[in-house]
Amino acid sequence: MQIQEALAGSLADVVAVVALLALLVTAYAHPRPLVEAAVAVVAGLAALATGRLGLDAVGSTLGHLAPVVVFLAAVLVVAEVCSRAGLFAAAAAVVRRTDRGDPRRLLLGAFVLAAAVTCVLSLDATVVLVTPVVVAAARGAGWSSRPVAWACLRMANSASLLLPVSNLTNLLAMRDLDLTFAGFALAMAPVLVVVLVVEWVALRVLFRRELSPATASGPGAGAVGGPRAGVVGEAGADGDGGGAAVAPPWERVPLVVVALMLAGFAVGSPLGVEPGWVAAVAAVVLVGWAARRGLLTWPEAGRATHPSFALFVLGLGVVVATLTTGPLGDAVGRLLPAPSGAPSWTDLLVVALVATVLANLVTNLSATLLVVPLVAPLGTDAVLAALLGLNIGSGLTYTGSLANLLWRRGLGHSTAAPSMRTFHAWSLTTTPVVLLAAVTALALT
């Protein structure tokens, strides 16, 4: 009897691991939406078939993920409307006009823009919508586009610390944090300031040659191909890339709605209102406005929600919950510090490192679902330390975050895209230093 139970347990583990691998391969391959949805459903059903999760556990998992999925769908629509209204292109054009002939100023503008968009509209908006327009701005100035492209990716991961809505990892962790929306921001703000300073210094060091006005138009100049590539800054007729940036007008309605959405997050959090519902209202208002302006149709808005990815997140949640109840959860638990009062700096560093390793093995979304419930008994600071590893640490490799893969796919064959070797050399140079500085800042605040 015991042998049969052991074999059944081992089979359940194998099924859950295979289901997770199928989801990860799907995430990396980025197939058609129907394929993505089908894999998510089959993987989730396979995990349920193991019997590891009871009905109550399944209901709890899906109930936890549902508001997160609603937020994801809504904020993607909000970002799409902002993009079609020209807000990102207008912001990039302002950055281009204020560089005063200095590529370092252009980089600073792109850095600030990417950080701001990440904080407010999440990291996906930065890698998909901001990267092309700032790369085009660099091309319009005749400078290397590699620094601004890399700045966008770094900010997509590292600047996603500030708000619960900046990254899905943060939203998923909120259930295990005794913090409101504003409380989370106050706890993470000092850490983010330190992170931004270290990231900026790292950018200046990594690209010191390309940022010199005398050599800025060397290898790496060029723009991302695609429909948004020429939005900001077209090369002049003589081919020197010195054309003026053309900025669309600032649309007030999207700006006001996004500002009200942020205020709604802060006001609704103490009242138990999930950010997803606030974002959903903002999305409906913006789609209605955009439809009247001819910028977006309702069917296009529906496609912008990426329903297949919503199913992917739900399927991933069920699979990881199944794995957490087995040997994998036990193994990760043994790596974490034991609960014993307030965690020390060393404890926080261990938590951040474990989260970093897991993020780069199975992506930060999977790692969040696995590690945060295990870290929660250690207290709020420990969960925040895990988020440092899940967000900053996920920039260590391409596989650390789905945003990394989206960024690379968006760059295509552009010279702004680093080689695999260069990507990991830059990441290994920067990420450990930033993570160490962030953990230290968290421990001191």
Side-chain angles (χ1 to χ4, degrees), residues 89-120:
V94 170
V95 170
R96 171 70 181 88
R97 287 200 304 269
T98 57
D99 61 31
R100 298 180 185 176
D102 188 340
R104 293 166 295 190
R105 293 181 66 89
L106 180 69
L107 177 62
L108 178 60
F111 181 87
V112 172
L113 175 60
V117 171
T118 296
C119 290
V120 176

Side-chain angles (χ1 to χ4, degrees), residues 84-244:
R84 295 197 181 204
L87 293 189
F88 300 131
V94 170
V95 170
R96 171 70 181 88
R97 287 200 304 269
T98 57
D99 61 31
R100 298 180 185 176
D102 188 340
R104 293 166 295 190
R105 293 181 66 89
L106 180 69
L107 177 62
L108 178 60
F111 181 87
V112 172
L113 175 60
V117 171
T118 296
C119 290
V120 176
L121 294 177
S122 84
L123 72 171
D124 291 332
T126 299
V127 296
V128 175
L129 302 173
V130 175
T131 301
V133 293
V134 298
V135 166
R139 180 194 64 175
W143 294 324
S144 170
S145 55
R146 295 202 306 173
V148 295
W150 185 248
C152 285
L153 180 62
R154 293 303 306 181
M155 289 301 94
N157 289 315
S158 294
S160 65
L161 299 172
L162 182 62
L163 302 178
V165 297
S166 303
N167 197 324
L168 284 187
T169 56
N170 302 346
L171 272 182
L172 290 169
M174 284 300 288
R175 182 178 65 172
D176 296 292
L177 285 168
D178 188 21
L179 293 173
T180 63
F181 185 92
F184 184 98
L186 288 174
M188 283 300 212
V191 179
L192 179 62
V193 170
V194 172
V195 167
L196 292 180
V197 170
V198 178
E199 288 279 9
W200 175 248
V201 172
L203 282 169
R204 292 293 303 272
V205 172
L206 282 175
F207 297 103
R208 58 191 180 278
R209 293 182 180 177
E210 291 176 73
L211 292 174
S212 170
T215 60
S217 58
V224 175
R228 293 189 181 93
V231 172
V232 181
E234 295 294 336
D238 58 357
D240 63 359

Side-chain angles (χ1 to χ4, degrees), residues 2-410:
Q2 291 180 342
I3 294 177
Q4 290 178 338
E5 291 179 354
L7 289 175
S10 298
L11 180 61
D13 294 332
V14 170
V15 170
V17 169
V18 170
L20 178 60
L21 290 174
L23 288 170
L24 294 177
V25 169
T26 301
Y28 300 148
H30 195 62
R32 291 177 299 171
L34 284 178
V35 175
E36 183 177 50
V39 173
V41 171
V42 171
L45 291 176
L48 292 177
T50 65
R52 281 278 178 82
L53 294 181
L55 291 179
D56 290 342
V58 173
S60 176
T61 298
L62 295 179
H64 174 45
L65 290 175
V68 177
V69 168
V70 170
F71 170 80
L72 171 65
V75 82
L76 287 173
V77 173
V78 170
E80 182 65 23
V81 173
C82 289
S83 176
R84 295 197 181 204
L87 293 189
F88 300 131
V94 170
V95 170
R96 171 70 181 88
R97 287 200 304 269
T98 57
D99 61 31
R100 298 180 185 176
D102 188 340
R104 293 166 295 190
R105 293 181 66 89
L106 180 69
L107 177 62
L108 178 60
F111 181 87
V112 172
L113 175 60
V117 171
T118 296
C119 290
V120 176
L121 294 177
S122 84
L123 72 171
D124 291 332
T126 299
V127 296
V128 175
L129 302 173
V130 175
T131 301
V133 293
V134 298
V135 166
R139 180 194 64 175
W143 294 324
S144 170
S145 55
R146 295 202 306 173
V148 295
W150 185 248
C152 285
L153 180 62
R154 293 303 306 181
M155 289 301 94
N157 289 315
S158 294
S160 65
L161 299 172
L162 182 62
L163 302 178
V165 297
S166 303
N167 197 324
L168 284 187
T169 56
N170 302 346
L171 272 182
L172 290 169
M174 284 300 288
R175 182 178 65 172
D176 296 292
L177 285 168
D178 188 21
L179 293 173
T180 63
F181 185 92
F184 184 98
L186 288 174
M188 283 300 212
V191 179
L192 179 62
V193 170
V194 172
V195 167
L196 292 180
V197 170
V198 178
E199 288 279 9
W200 175 248
V201 172
L203 282 169
R204 292 293 303 272
V205 172
L206 282 175
F207 297 103
R208 58 191 180 278
R209 293 182 180 177
E210 291 176 73
L211 292 174
S212 170
T215 60
S217 58
V224 175
R228 293 189 181 93
V231 172
V232 181
E234 295 294 336
D238 58 357
D240 63 359
V246 179
W250 289 95
E251 293 287 357
R252 295 182 181 179
V253 171
L255 289 173
V256 171
V257 172
V258 169
L260 291 175
M261 181 180 71
L262 284 176
F265 293 154
V267 173
S269 180
L271 303 176
V273 179
E274 294 284 354
W277 311 127
V278 178
V281 172
V284 171
V285 170
L286 284 177
V287 172
W289 172 81
R292 289 194 301 272
R293 297 288 298 271
L295 299 174
L296 185 77
T297 65
W298 286 98
E300 287 174 332
R303 289 191 291 272
T305 63
H306 295 285
S308 62
F309 188 64
L311 281 175
F312 178 88
V313 173
L314 293 175
L316 183 64
V318 171
V319 171
V320 174
T322 302
L323 285 168
T324 303
T325 63
L328 179 59
D330 295 337
V332 174
R334 286 193 293 270
L335 296 174
L336 297 171
S340 59
S344 64
W345 176 85
T346 303
D347 292 335
L348 297 178
L349 183 60
V350 169
V351 169
L353 291 176
V354 169
T356 296
V357 172
L358 287 173
N360 287 281
L361 287 176
V362 297
T363 78
N364 61 350
L365 194 57
S366 306
T368 301
L369 296 168
L370 175 61
V371 76
V372 167
L374 299 174
V375 169
L378 299 177
T380 295
D381 284 351
V383 176
L384 295 179
L387 289 176
L388 298 182
L390 294 165
N391 295 355
I392 300 170
S394 65
L396 192 62
T397 66
Y398 268 129
T399 58
S401 167
L402 297 180
N404 298 345
L405 300 173
L406 287 173
W407 178 82
R408 182 62 186 85
R409 190 177 296 120

